[in-house]
Each structure stands twice: as C-alpha cells, then as structure tokens.
Amino acid sequence: MARFNVLAILLAAATLPALSQQTVFTSWEDDSSRWTTFPHPITRVAVIGAGPSGLQAAANLLTANLSVRLFERAPAPGGNWFYTEETPVREAYPETNSTTPATLPTEFPATHYYEEGEDGVSLDERWREHWQPRPVWYNLRTNSPAPLTKLPGISHAPDTPWSLSVHDLERNIRAYASLHGLNVNDQPFSPPYSPVTSCSTRVEAVRKCNETSTWTLTLRRLQWLPESHRLKADWWTEEFDAVVVATGHYTTAYIPRIKGIGNWSMAKENGEYNMIHSQSFRHPERYAGKTVLIVGASTSATQLSRVIAPFVSRLIVSVRPNRYRDGYGYDILYAFAEKAEIVPEISSFEPLDGNGIGIRAGRIRLVNGTVLEGIDEIILATGYRANTFLPDLVNPRTFDNLDWRGHYIHDPTLAYMLTGSSWTQHASYQGYGFAKVWTGKARLPSRERMWADYQSGRYRFGTPLDILLQEGLRKLYVVWLNAESLELGGQFVDPLPLETREITSYFVNAHWRKDWLLHENWTRFDNLPFNEWPKPGPAHGQHQCQWRWRRVQGCIVVIHDL
Ligand SMILES: Cc1cc2nc3c(=O)[nH]c(=O)nc-3n(C[C@H](O)[C@H](O)[C@H](O)COP(=O)(O)OP(=O)(O)OC[C@H]3O[C@@H](n4cnc5c(N)ncnc54)[C@H](O)[C@@H]3O)c2cc1C
Ligand SMILES: NC(=O)c1ccc[n+]([C@@H]2O[C@H](COP(=O)([O-])OP(=O)(O)OC[C@H]3O[C@@H](n4cnc5c(N)ncnc54)[C@H](OP(=O)(O)O)[C@@H]3O)[C@@H](O)[C@H]2O)c1
Ligand SMILES: *[C@@H]1O[C@H](CO)[C@@H](O)[C@H](O)[C@H]1NC(C)=O
Ligand SMILES: *[C@@H]1O[C@H](CO)[C@@H](O)[C@H](O)[C@H]1NC(C)=O
Ligand SMILES: *[C@@H]1O[C@H](CO)[C@@H](O)[C@H](O)[C@H]1NC(C)=O
Ligand SMILES: *[C@@H]1O[C@H](CO)[C@@H](O)[C@H](O)[C@H]1NC(C)=O
Ligand SMILES: *[C@@H]1O[C@H](CO)[C@@H](O)[C@H](O)[C@H]1NC(C)=O
Ligand SMILES: *[C@@H]1O[C@H](CO)[C@@H](O)[C@H](O)[C@H]1NC(C)=O
C-alpha cells in the first residue's frame, strides 16, 4: 500500500508539537505501562467477512506474515456488491427484536445432510438463509464517485462512468481479492499451502473464555450436492489469537411496526408478495403499469423511485413529517422521480377482506386522516437494523466500546472494521494498523488511556456520514501509523491525495446537493489544530459508554444473529 512519502513525514513532523499534548502522537515515550501488552504472541488471525473491508484487512495481515483465515458466508467475495438474482429469505412482519441463536451441534466436527422440506424448510430457503443474498438490484448505481469507489491497486476500466454499476464494482472487488490470493479456490504459493479464504462458511459463534485463552470460532459451511439433491452442512471450530469483524452494516431489514402491516404482508398475487422490503428488489419490470407505494425517504427510496418511475402508472411515496432529509442531512424531496406524489406517514393498514389475493382493494390510512386506495404494490425502503453480529459487544452504528482504531477496548485482540468509506486507502489504514499492533510494529495505548480517549468524545469518528470527520480520522491514521513505523519499523502510508477532495466535492455537489462542499470546507478544517476539530454532533454523540457484554459460563459468548 505504501511508498516512502516525504509529505507524510513532513505532516508527522509538523504536527508533533501540537499533538503530543493531545495524546495522538505518542512516540518516544518508553514507559511500557502506557501501552497495551498482549498475554501471548499473536500469530493466527481470523477475518469475518470478505467485502471490501474484510478483504483489505486480510491482505494487510497477510503482508505482515500473520497466519490468516478469511471466512465468508456467501459463495464468493464481494460483500454487499456480490450481485445475484437470488433474494434474501423473507424478513419478519412485523419486526421482531429476537436474536435467535444459531442451532449448533454438541460436538465438533459434525456433518448433516439436509433433505428437501426437512423441518418444513426447502433446500433453497436453507441455502439463502445461510448466506443472505445481498440488498442490491440489477441496475443499481453507486452514489459515490468511481475514482474513489475502488480498492487499492485496482483501476476501473477506461471510460467507466463516475456512477458505477453494481457489476463494475463487484468486478473491482473480486479483482482485488484475486490480486491478494483471496478469491474462491485461490491457493497460496508457500507453505503450509492451506487456503486463506473459506467461502459459503458462516461464523456461527465467537468465544473466548478469558484474557489468556484464544478465540474459538464455530463455523458452518454449506454445499449443494446436486446429484442427490441435498445440502451438506459441516460444522467445525478453529482457534485464533485475534479476530477482525468485517461483517458489514446492511444485513437485517428494518420493518416499521405499522398497525396492520402483518396482515398486508401476507397478501400475494401470482405467487409474489405485494409488499417487499427494498433488500429483495431486483428488477423494475414487475411494476409495469401498476400503482406503487414506496415507504421511506432515504437513498433506497429515492433511487428506487427513479428506477421504477418509467414503468409504473402511478408512483406514491410516503415520507415521515419533518424528515425530508436523508442520512447525509440534505434535502431529499428533489431526489425522487418527478412523477412521485409525496404523501405523509402511514398510520395503519386496514385489514384486508380475506380473499388473500392482492392489496388493490385495501385501505391505507395516513396520519393526516386521508385514506389511500388502489395500491398494487408496496416497497418498504425503510432501511436496516444495526447489524447484530456479536450483538452484546458492539453496536456498529454507535461503535460502543471501540477505540478509534477499531480495537475492542476490553480485549484489543478483537477488532472491528469501522469504515464508512471502505474504498481507497481508508480500510487499508485500519487493516495495516491491526497488523502492526499485533506484530509489535505499532503500540496501542493502555486500556485506561483508550477509555479516557473514548470517553472524551474526541475520537468518535465512526460515523460514515460526516465527510470532514472521516477526513480527520484519516489524518490521525497517517500520523499514528507513520510515527509508529518511524519508531518500530514498517512502511509509511500516504495521506489521501489532495485531489480526492476535488473529486469528492465535484461529485457531491453534482449528485447530492448544489454547492454543499466547497474548497473552503476542506481548507478551513486543514488549518484547525486538533483540539478545535469539530466534535461529533448529537446524531452520533448521544451514546453513552455501555458495558454491555454478556457473560455466559465465564466466557464471552457471542452468537450469530440470523
Ligand atoms: C443498496 C446499497 C447501496 C449502497 N451503495 C453504496 C455506494 O454507492 N457507495 C458506497 O460507498 N457504499 C454504498 N453502500 C454501502 C456498502 O455497505 C459499502 O459500499 C461496502 O460494501 C461496505 O463494505 P464492508 O466490507 O464493510 O461490508 P459488506 O460489503 O457488507 O461485506 C460484509 C461481508 O461480511 C459477510 N458476513 C457477514 N456475517 C458473516 C458471518 N457470520 N460469517 C461469515 N461472513 C459474514 C457478508 O456475507 C459480507 O460479504 C451501499 C449499501 C447498500 C445496502
Ligand atoms: N448507491 C445507491 O444509490 C444506494 C441506494 C440505496 C442505498 N444506498 C445506501 O444504503 C444504505 C441504506 O440506505 P436506505 O435508504 O436503505 O436506509 P436508510 O438510510 O436507513 O433510510 C431508511 C428510511 O426509511 C424511513 N422510514 C423508516 N421507518 C419509516 C416509516 N414507518 N414511515 C416512513 N418512513 C420510514 C426513514 O425515515 P426516518 O429518517 O424518519 O427514520 C429513512 O428515510 C445507505 O448507506 C445508502 O447510502 C445507496
Ligand atoms: C514476511 O516473510 C517474508 C519471507 O520470509 C519476508 O521476506 C518479509 O520481509 C516478511 N515481512 C514482514 C513484514 O515481516
Ligand atoms: C424492540 O426494541 C425496541 C428498541 O429497543 C423497543 O423500543 C421495542 O419496545 C422492542 N419491542 C419488542 C416487541 O420487544
Ligand atoms: C483461561 O482459560 C484457559 C483455557 O480455557 C484455562 O486453562 C485457564 O485456567 C483460564 N484462566 C483463568 C484465569 O480463568
Ligand atoms: C393529507 O395528505 C394528502 C396527500 O398528501 C393530501 O392530499 C391531503 O389534502 C392531506 N389532508 C389534509 C387534511 O391535510
Ligand atoms: C387479513 O385480516 C383479515 C381480517 O382479520 C383476514 O380475513 C384476512 O385473511 C387477512 N389477510 C391476509 C392476507 O392474511
Ligand atoms: C461548507 O461550508 C459552508 C459555508 O460555511 C456551510 O454552509 C456548509 O454546511 C459546509 N458544508 C459541509 C458539508 O459541512
């Protein structure tokens, strides 16, 4: 990733006096009690998830000669961008809070052959439940610019438009996987020749009994056996000294608890549900000539409105009052298709008549008292629940209990990929940081110090939505990584090239909101000393330090949530 870079050194040197009082630049202090130490050497590292973040983590850990295993529940790397016609198993209506623990065998390894219809579940549904097809549609295009939406060292084909198709981006990610020997069936060239990546392999549980023991991952791989029309499941366990969680943020659909939604969710026509969540949307043709209601006012809602608009006869969008802003805080209404009729929030779905066919005759009551009738199809673009992987440790929306580098402060052998921006260097800084910390090439402050930094609120850069705070996080990484390399050895990392600002501004101003991000926005931030950096606003500042880890039989037991 990194070449020796004069600019990085100058930046590190220039920032030294101000930052040394601010606990950022912590080099040249040899009091070992200031640093985190690990009870045993770290050689084996598991990475969970082969999306853009997990791939970059694995690549950096391999470069540091750690023994790496990368587990991916899908049949191939690509993460969110692995497009298939398969759709996720239907979500629960109404929403439940349950975190159903995976059913695990009592002894390992174990094997089971699933037959069609076993326990009332089809093989197809069992397969999809295992790997969770992605929430992306056939003609999805990125809302981030191509020059910044790619993985390190992999270019897009010449003349690729700035708004990428899902397929272009999938290829970029899989090319990166191949470059680093992390694609399906890639074999390493050196001993012990054991493959790094295990696809169709879901991590079911992550356990550690105490600080001196190792992490035990419980794994389940599913394989189709077409000749006997069965699915083979293998369960086994593997031991690791450290674990990186890179499981993404958009796994579990959020279904609002609107009165009557359960009743409407069961209505079907020609074998297809009339109400779907945007995660199952694949093609617009199905909506040809219909009256369609979209619920939601963020990117999925606006993008889908434009995807289906040319096909539908009438398009209605239900938006909550006073929430005409998307996750990025900008006015959303202009972003809907022109033919979209904006209506208020839904208060209830009146019970359907009982013939079970379609919803056209049903009545939808809005909060202002108006009743909508004659709707053929509903798309809930209502977003996702905070990913519940490792539910009791970390809420990835608020990043509870994590140091700004992603280490779980209670036990820094567990680390999370935090990146809102998984592209270009960002996730590589994180992966490189984990590799350096675990191989002794970078020091992590003591846990007391990490808690103090955490509680100060200064380092809460976890939110992907604030471009300038993300810039701040990258600055911290460049200073910290390069200072540690100077002290302990290792390559230097480059800051993001300055032109990325221009690219970001150009794209954001054209695609999101006019004149939103100007040159001055960046340079103003440039010239601020660290202690005057903007603090995270209330949206991501509400969270409290929560000591929310569940102890079961003396172990940290973490169970995969379906
Ligand atoms: C509809 C949609 C559109 C988007 N558009 C954009 C865009 O235009 N630009 C942009 O920058 N971002 C966009 N995003 C955000 C997207 O999440 C990121 O681009 C990126 O994919 C995040 O990478 P990641 O590696 O962190 O997570 P992911 O890409 O989600 O990868 C996580 C991986 O972890 C695996 N995994 C999860 N649990 C387990 C388990 N228990 N065991 C094994 N493996 C597991 C998953 O199978 C998955 O492959 C979009 C998201 C959505 C939903
Ligand atoms: N590349 C692309 O073009 C593209 C396309 C789709 C998604 N994405 C990305 O995917 C991620 C998820 O986006 P998302 O749009 O699916 O989810 P989201 O940003 O979480 O938005 C969910 C929307 O649903 C609304 N909502 C929830 N309950 C509702 C209810 N009862 N009635 C009316 N509205 C309700 C929310 O409104 P409130 O604010 O009132 O809660 C919000 O507007 C984002 O990172 C986004 O950038 C990108
Ligand atoms: C990794 O191992 C190779 C081969 O032994 C060696 O050349 C390289 O310097 C090592 N890299 C690191 C970061 O230790
Ligand atoms: C589910 O969790 C939410 C948020 O914690 C809470 O408001 C709601 O009451 C819970 N609902 C049920 C049915 O447990
Ligand atoms: C930690 O776990 C290991 C392995 O399970 C065990 O041998 C050891 O006694 C445990 N130590 C403590 C302090 O509980
Ligand atoms: C309620 O909203 C609908 C749809 O926007 C609108 O046509 C109607 O006039 C509103 N009713 C009232 C009482 O404001
Ligand atoms: C909806 O509820 C009504 C009244 O309780 C019932 O008759 C009907 O069968 C339900 N419809 C569906 C699709 O479940
Ligand atoms: C950029 O600066 C302008 C002018 O000060 C301000 O209105 C705008 O909110 C800033 N943009 C962002 C994204 O912070």
Side-chain angles (χ1 to χ4, degrees), residues 457-480:
R458 284 219 147 271
Y459 295 84
R460 208 176 295 122
F461 299 108
T463 169
L465 300 183
D466 191 319
I467 289 173
L468 297 182
L469 287 174
Q470 290 284 308
E471 170 88 345
L473 179 59
R474 287 189 285 264
K475 287 184 184 192
L476 275 184
Y477 262 117
V478 171
V479 171
W480 174 65

PDB file of all heavy atoms in Angstrom, residues 457-480:
ATOM      1  N   GLY A 457     -14.909  11.725  23.846  1.00  0.00           N
ATOM      2  CA  GLY A 457     -15.765  12.017  22.699  1.00  0.00           C
ATOM      3  C   GLY A 457     -15.021  12.596  21.505  1.00  0.00           C
ATOM      4  O   GLY A 457     -15.587  12.770  20.438  1.00  0.00           O
ATOM      5  N   ARG A 458     -13.741  12.854  21.669  1.00  0.00           N
ATOM      6  CA  ARG A 458     -12.948  13.479  20.607  1.00  0.00           C
ATOM      7  C   ARG A 458     -12.676  12.556  19.431  1.00  0.00           C
ATOM      8  O   ARG A 458     -12.383  13.013  18.344  1.00  0.00           O
ATOM      9  CB  ARG A 458     -11.551  13.824  21.156  1.00  0.00           C
ATOM     10  CG  ARG A 458     -11.554  14.972  21.991  1.00  0.00           C
ATOM     11  CD  ARG A 458     -10.310  15.832  21.763  1.00  0.00           C
ATOM     12  NE  ARG A 458     -10.760  17.162  21.974  1.00  0.00           N
ATOM     13  CZ  ARG A 458     -11.257  17.930  21.037  1.00  0.00           C
ATOM     14  NH1 ARG A 458     -11.280  17.518  19.802  1.00  0.00           N
ATOM     15  NH2 ARG A 458     -11.708  19.118  21.307  1.00  0.00           N
ATOM     16  N   TYR A 459     -12.677  11.275  19.720  1.00  0.00           N
ATOM     17  CA  TYR A 459     -12.188  10.337  18.712  1.00  0.00           C
ATOM     18  C   TYR A 459     -13.328   9.536  18.101  1.00  0.00           C
ATOM     19  O   TYR A 459     -13.111   8.469  17.579  1.00  0.00           O
ATOM     20  CB  TYR A 459     -11.174   9.368  19.341  1.00  0.00           C
ATOM     21  CG  TYR A 459      -9.926  10.055  19.822  1.00  0.00           C
ATOM     22  CD1 TYR A 459      -9.879  10.657  21.063  1.00  0.00           C
ATOM     23  CD2 TYR A 459      -8.801  10.097  19.010  1.00  0.00           C
ATOM     24  CE1 TYR A 459      -8.731  11.295  21.502  1.00  0.00           C
ATOM     25  CE2 TYR A 459      -7.649  10.729  19.437  1.00  0.00           C
ATOM     26  CZ  TYR A 459      -7.618  11.326  20.678  1.00  0.00           C
ATOM     27  OH  TYR A 459      -6.482  11.951  21.093  1.00  0.00           O
ATOM     28  N   ARG A 460     -14.549  10.058  18.236  1.00  0.00           N
ATOM     29  CA  ARG A 460     -15.676   9.276  17.737  1.00  0.00           C
ATOM     30  C   ARG A 460     -15.875   9.564  16.253  1.00  0.00           C
ATOM     31  O   ARG A 460     -16.727  10.320  15.856  1.00  0.00           O
ATOM     32  CB  ARG A 460     -16.932   9.592  18.538  1.00  0.00           C
ATOM     33  CG  ARG A 460     -17.875   8.430  18.567  1.00  0.00           C
ATOM     34  CD  ARG A 460     -19.078   8.686  19.429  1.00  0.00           C
ATOM     35  NE  ARG A 460     -18.729   8.850  20.818  1.00  0.00           N
ATOM     36  CZ  ARG A 460     -19.023   9.941  21.505  1.00  0.00           C
ATOM     37  NH1 ARG A 460     -19.648  10.943  20.940  1.00  0.00           N
ATOM     38  NH2 ARG A 460     -18.681  10.021  22.770  1.00  0.00           N
ATOM     39  N   PHE A 461     -15.046   8.918  15.452  1.00  0.00           N
ATOM     40  CA  PHE A 461     -15.090   9.177  14.018  1.00  0.00           C
ATOM     41  C   PHE A 461     -15.877   8.107  13.294  1.00  0.00           C
ATOM     42  O   PHE A 461     -15.889   8.050  12.082  1.00  0.00           O
ATOM     43  CB  PHE A 461     -13.676   9.216  13.440  1.00  0.00           C
ATOM     44  CG  PHE A 461     -12.860  10.301  14.046  1.00  0.00           C
ATOM     45  CD1 PHE A 461     -11.836  10.005  14.927  1.00  0.00           C
ATOM     46  CD2 PHE A 461     -13.144  11.623  13.751  1.00  0.00           C
ATOM     47  CE1 PHE A 461     -11.086  11.006  15.487  1.00  0.00           C
ATOM     48  CE2 PHE A 461     -12.394  12.636  14.314  1.00  0.00           C
ATOM     49  CZ  PHE A 461     -11.362  12.322  15.185  1.00  0.00           C
ATOM     50  N   GLY A 462     -16.491   7.204  14.071  1.00  0.00           N
ATOM     51  CA  GLY A 462     -17.077   6.003  13.473  1.00  0.00           C
ATOM     52  C   GLY A 462     -18.138   6.267  12.439  1.00  0.00           C
ATOM     53  O   GLY A 462     -18.347   5.468  11.557  1.00  0.00           O
ATOM     54  N   THR A 463     -18.829   7.376  12.514  1.00  0.00           N
ATOM     55  CA  THR A 463     -19.917   7.575  11.566  1.00  0.00           C
ATOM     56  C   THR A 463     -19.391   7.824  10.162  1.00  0.00           C
ATOM     57  O   THR A 463     -18.495   8.630   9.950  1.00  0.00           O
ATOM     58  CB  THR A 463     -20.812   8.736  11.982  1.00  0.00           C
ATOM     59  OG1 THR A 463     -21.675   9.027  10.874  1.00  0.00           O
ATOM     60  CG2 THR A 463     -20.023   9.974  12.339  1.00  0.00           C
ATOM     61  N   PRO A 464     -19.950   7.128   9.192  1.00  0.00           N
ATOM     62  CA  PRO A 464     -19.508   7.335   7.815  1.00  0.00           C
ATOM     63  C   PRO A 464     -20.080   8.602   7.216  1.00  0.00           C
ATOM     64  O   PRO A 464     -19.716   9.000   6.133  1.00  0.00           O
ATOM     65  CB  PRO A 464     -20.076   6.123   7.085  1.00  0.00           C
ATOM     66  CG  PRO A 464     -21.250   5.700   7.883  1.00  0.00           C
ATOM     67  CD  PRO A 464     -20.936   6.048   9.309  1.00  0.00           C
ATOM     68  N   LEU A 465     -21.010   9.244   7.903  1.00  0.00           N
ATOM     69  CA  LEU A 465     -21.813  10.248   7.220  1.00  0.00           C
ATOM     70  C   LEU A 465     -21.199  11.634   7.224  1.00  0.00           C
ATOM     71  O   LEU A 465     -21.625  12.506   6.495  1.00  0.00           O
ATOM     72  CB  LEU A 465     -23.209  10.301   7.849  1.00  0.00           C
ATOM     73  CG  LEU A 465     -23.959   8.977   7.765  1.00  0.00           C
ATOM     74  CD1 LEU A 465     -25.340   9.119   8.336  1.00  0.00           C
ATOM     75  CD2 LEU A 465     -24.031   8.493   6.332  1.00  0.00           C
ATOM     76  N   ASP A 466     -20.236  11.868   8.056  1.00  0.00           N
ATOM     77  CA  ASP A 466     -19.658  13.189   8.092  1.00  0.00           C
ATOM     78  C   ASP A 466     -18.310  13.171   7.377  1.00  0.00           C
ATOM     79  O   ASP A 466     -17.309  12.685   7.897  1.00  0.00           O
ATOM     80  CB  ASP A 466     -19.491  13.639   9.546  1.00  0.00           C
ATOM     81  CG  ASP A 466     -19.133  15.112   9.606  1.00  0.00           C
ATOM     82  OD1 ASP A 466     -18.322  15.553   8.764  1.00  0.00           O
ATOM     83  OD2 ASP A 466     -19.649  15.803  10.484  1.00  0.00           O
ATOM     84  N   ILE A 467     -18.313  13.695   6.194  1.00  0.00           N
ATOM     85  CA  ILE A 467     -17.126  13.622   5.342  1.00  0.00           C
ATOM     86  C   ILE A 467     -15.911  14.244   6.025  1.00  0.00           C
ATOM     87  O   ILE A 467     -14.807  13.718   5.971  1.00  0.00           O
ATOM     88  CB  ILE A 467     -17.415  14.342   4.011  1.00  0.00           C
ATOM     89  CG1 ILE A 467     -18.400  13.504   3.207  1.00  0.00           C
ATOM     90  CG2 ILE A 467     -16.145  14.583   3.222  1.00  0.00           C
ATOM     91  CD1 ILE A 467     -18.901  14.184   1.961  1.00  0.00           C
ATOM     92  N   LEU A 468     -16.130  15.352   6.708  1.00  0.00           N
ATOM     93  CA  LEU A 468     -14.977  16.035   7.279  1.00  0.00           C
ATOM     94  C   LEU A 468     -14.431  15.296   8.491  1.00  0.00           C
ATOM     95  O   LEU A 468     -13.226  15.276   8.717  1.00  0.00           O
ATOM     96  CB  LEU A 468     -15.334  17.477   7.607  1.00  0.00           C
ATOM     97  CG  LEU A 468     -15.697  18.287   6.353  1.00  0.00           C
ATOM     98  CD1 LEU A 468     -16.000  19.722   6.712  1.00  0.00           C
ATOM     99  CD2 LEU A 468     -14.586  18.240   5.324  1.00  0.00           C
ATOM    100  N   LEU A 469     -15.311  14.657   9.267  1.00  0.00           N
ATOM    101  CA  LEU A 469     -14.774  13.872  10.380  1.00  0.00           C
ATOM    102  C   LEU A 469     -14.025  12.646   9.867  1.00  0.00           C
ATOM    103  O   LEU A 469     -13.045  12.214  10.453  1.00  0.00           O
ATOM    104  CB  LEU A 469     -15.890  13.462  11.335  1.00  0.00           C
ATOM    105  CG  LEU A 469     -16.436  14.606  12.189  1.00  0.00           C
ATOM    106  CD1 LEU A 469     -17.625  14.148  13.004  1.00  0.00           C
ATOM    107  CD2 LEU A 469     -15.353  15.151  13.110  1.00  0.00           C
ATOM    108  N   GLN A 470     -14.487  12.110   8.759  1.00  0.00           N
ATOM    109  CA  GLN A 470     -13.758  10.995   8.165  1.00  0.00           C
ATOM    110  C   GLN A 470     -12.369  11.459   7.721  1.00  0.00           C
ATOM    111  O   GLN A 470     -11.393  10.736   7.857  1.00  0.00           O
ATOM    112  CB  GLN A 470     -14.534  10.435   6.970  1.00  0.00           C
ATOM    113  CG  GLN A 470     -15.797   9.712   7.372  1.00  0.00           C
ATOM    114  CD  GLN A 470     -15.508   8.345   7.947  1.00  0.00           C
ATOM    115  OE1 GLN A 470     -14.811   7.536   7.345  1.00  0.00           O
ATOM    116  NE2 GLN A 470     -16.013   8.086   9.129  1.00  0.00           N
ATOM    117  N   GLU A 471     -12.295  12.648   7.223  1.00  0.00           N
ATOM    118  CA  GLU A 471     -11.002  13.234   6.855  1.00  0.00           C
ATOM    119  C   GLU A 471     -10.118  13.321   8.102  1.00  0.00           C
ATOM    120  O   GLU A 471      -8.929  13.017   8.069  1.00  0.00           O
ATOM    121  CB  GLU A 471     -11.250  14.622   6.237  1.00  0.00           C
ATOM    122  CG  GLU A 471     -10.014  15.461   6.010  1.00  0.00           C
ATOM    123  CD  GLU A 471      -9.359  15.230   4.663  1.00  0.00           C
ATOM    124  OE1 GLU A 471      -9.673  14.231   4.006  1.00  0.00           O
ATOM    125  OE2 GLU A 471      -8.512  16.057   4.296  1.00  0.00           O
ATOM    126  N   GLY A 472     -10.718  13.710   9.218  1.00  0.00           N
ATOM    127  CA  GLY A 472      -9.979  13.778  10.476  1.00  0.00           C
ATOM    128  C   GLY A 472      -9.432  12.420  10.877  1.00  0.00           C
ATOM    129  O   GLY A 472      -8.276  12.291  11.300  1.00  0.00           O
ATOM    130  N   LEU A 473     -10.256  11.402  10.733  1.00  0.00           N
ATOM    131  CA  LEU A 473      -9.818  10.052  11.079  1.00  0.00           C
ATOM    132  C   LEU A 473      -8.617   9.639  10.218  1.00  0.00           C
ATOM    133  O   LEU A 473      -7.646   9.066  10.712  1.00  0.00           O
ATOM    134  CB  LEU A 473     -10.988   9.080  10.879  1.00  0.00           C
ATOM    135  CG  LEU A 473     -10.732   7.607  11.168  1.00  0.00           C
ATOM    136  CD1 LEU A 473     -10.282   7.405  12.608  1.00  0.00           C
ATOM    137  CD2 LEU A 473     -11.986   6.784  10.904  1.00  0.00           C
ATOM    138  N   ARG A 474      -8.687   9.946   8.940  1.00  0.00           N
ATOM    139  CA  ARG A 474      -7.565   9.598   8.068  1.00  0.00           C
ATOM    140  C   ARG A 474      -6.290  10.328   8.472  1.00  0.00           C
ATOM    141  O   ARG A 474      -5.205   9.768   8.449  1.00  0.00           O
ATOM    142  CB  ARG A 474      -7.923   9.906   6.609  1.00  0.00           C
ATOM    143  CG  ARG A 474      -8.928   8.912   6.047  1.00  0.00           C
ATOM    144  CD  ARG A 474      -9.088   9.103   4.554  1.00  0.00           C
ATOM    145  NE  ARG A 474      -9.868  10.282   4.244  1.00  0.00           N
ATOM    146  CZ  ARG A 474     -11.188  10.269   3.993  1.00  0.00           C
ATOM    147  NH1 ARG A 474     -11.850   9.137   4.005  1.00  0.00           N
ATOM    148  NH2 ARG A 474     -11.819  11.381   3.716  1.00  0.00           N
ATOM    149  N   LYS A 475      -6.436  11.581   8.877  1.00  0.00           N
ATOM    150  CA  LYS A 475      -5.245  12.323   9.336  1.00  0.00           C
ATOM    151  C   LYS A 475      -4.625  11.643  10.551  1.00  0.00           C
ATOM    152  O   LYS A 475      -3.406  11.490  10.642  1.00  0.00           O
ATOM    153  CB  LYS A 475      -5.618  13.758   9.692  1.00  0.00           C
ATOM    154  CG  LYS A 475      -5.902  14.611   8.493  1.00  0.00           C
ATOM    155  CD  LYS A 475      -6.179  16.046   8.907  1.00  0.00           C
ATOM    156  CE  LYS A 475      -6.567  16.850   7.678  1.00  0.00           C
ATOM    157  NZ  LYS A 475      -6.576  18.275   7.898  1.00  0.00           N
ATOM    158  N   LEU A 476      -5.479  11.253  11.500  1.00  0.00           N
ATOM    159  CA  LEU A 476      -4.957  10.576  12.682  1.00  0.00           C
ATOM    160  C   LEU A 476      -4.208   9.314  12.301  1.00  0.00           C
ATOM    161  O   LEU A 476      -3.151   9.006  12.853  1.00  0.00           O
ATOM    162  CB  LEU A 476      -6.111  10.174  13.606  1.00  0.00           C
ATOM    163  CG  LEU A 476      -6.637  11.204  14.581  1.00  0.00           C
ATOM    164  CD1 LEU A 476      -7.697  10.564  15.448  1.00  0.00           C
ATOM    165  CD2 LEU A 476      -5.507  11.736  15.459  1.00  0.00           C
ATOM    166  N   TYR A 477      -4.783   8.554  11.345  1.00  0.00           N
ATOM    167  CA  TYR A 477      -4.136   7.316  10.938  1.00  0.00           C
ATOM    168  C   TYR A 477      -2.750   7.567  10.354  1.00  0.00           C
ATOM    169  O   TYR A 477      -1.794   6.871  10.668  1.00  0.00           O
ATOM    170  CB  TYR A 477      -4.997   6.578   9.898  1.00  0.00           C
ATOM    171  CG  TYR A 477      -5.817   5.486  10.538  1.00  0.00           C
ATOM    172  CD1 TYR A 477      -7.191   5.533  10.531  1.00  0.00           C
ATOM    173  CD2 TYR A 477      -5.192   4.416  11.177  1.00  0.00           C
ATOM    174  CE1 TYR A 477      -7.940   4.550  11.138  1.00  0.00           C
ATOM    175  CE2 TYR A 477      -5.927   3.426  11.791  1.00  0.00           C
ATOM    176  CZ  TYR A 477      -7.301   3.493  11.766  1.00  0.00           C
ATOM    177  OH  TYR A 477      -8.015   2.522  12.380  1.00  0.00           O
ATOM    178  N   VAL A 478      -2.655   8.564   9.475  1.00  0.00           N
ATOM    179  CA  VAL A 478      -1.374   8.823   8.818  1.00  0.00           C
ATOM    180  C   VAL A 478      -0.325   9.186   9.875  1.00  0.00           C
ATOM    181  O   VAL A 478       0.797   8.661   9.864  1.00  0.00           O
ATOM    182  CB  VAL A 478      -1.526   9.941   7.758  1.00  0.00           C
ATOM    183  CG1 VAL A 478      -0.171  10.372   7.239  1.00  0.00           C
ATOM    184  CG2 VAL A 478      -2.394   9.444   6.616  1.00  0.00           C
ATOM    185  N   VAL A 479      -0.723  10.017  10.832  1.00  0.00           N
ATOM    186  CA  VAL A 479       0.228  10.445  11.855  1.00  0.00           C
ATOM    187  C   VAL A 479       0.616   9.264  12.740  1.00  0.00           C
ATOM    188  O   VAL A 479       1.793   9.005  12.992  1.00  0.00           O
ATOM    189  CB  VAL A 479      -0.378  11.592  12.687  1.00  0.00           C
ATOM    190  CG1 VAL A 479       0.508  11.904  13.887  1.00  0.00           C
ATOM    191  CG2 VAL A 479      -0.559  12.826  11.826  1.00  0.00           C
ATOM    192  N   TRP A 480      -0.375   8.523  13.185  1.00  0.00           N
ATOM    193  CA  TRP A 480      -0.101   7.422  14.110  1.00  0.00           C
ATOM    194  C   TRP A 480       0.713   6.305  13.443  1.00  0.00           C
ATOM    195  O   TRP A 480       1.746   5.888  13.960  1.00  0.00           O
ATOM    196  CB  TRP A 480      -1.433   6.875  14.664  1.00  0.00           C
ATOM    197  CG  TRP A 480      -1.270   5.651  15.502  1.00  0.00           C
ATOM    198  CD1 TRP A 480      -0.628   5.558  16.701  1.00  0.00           C
ATOM    199  CD2 TRP A 480      -1.734   4.332  15.196  1.00  0.00           C
ATOM    200  NE1 TRP A 480      -0.668   4.254  17.169  1.00  0.00           N
ATOM    201  CE2 TRP A 480      -1.349   3.497  16.258  1.00  0.00           C
ATOM    202  CE3 TRP A 480      -2.454   3.785  14.133  1.00  0.00           C
ATOM    203  CZ2 TRP A 480      -1.657   2.136  16.293  1.00  0.00           C
ATOM    204  CZ3 TRP A 480      -2.759   2.433  14.160  1.00  0.00           C
ATOM    205  CH2 TRP A 480      -2.358   1.629  15.234  1.00  0.00           C
TER     206      TRP A 480
END
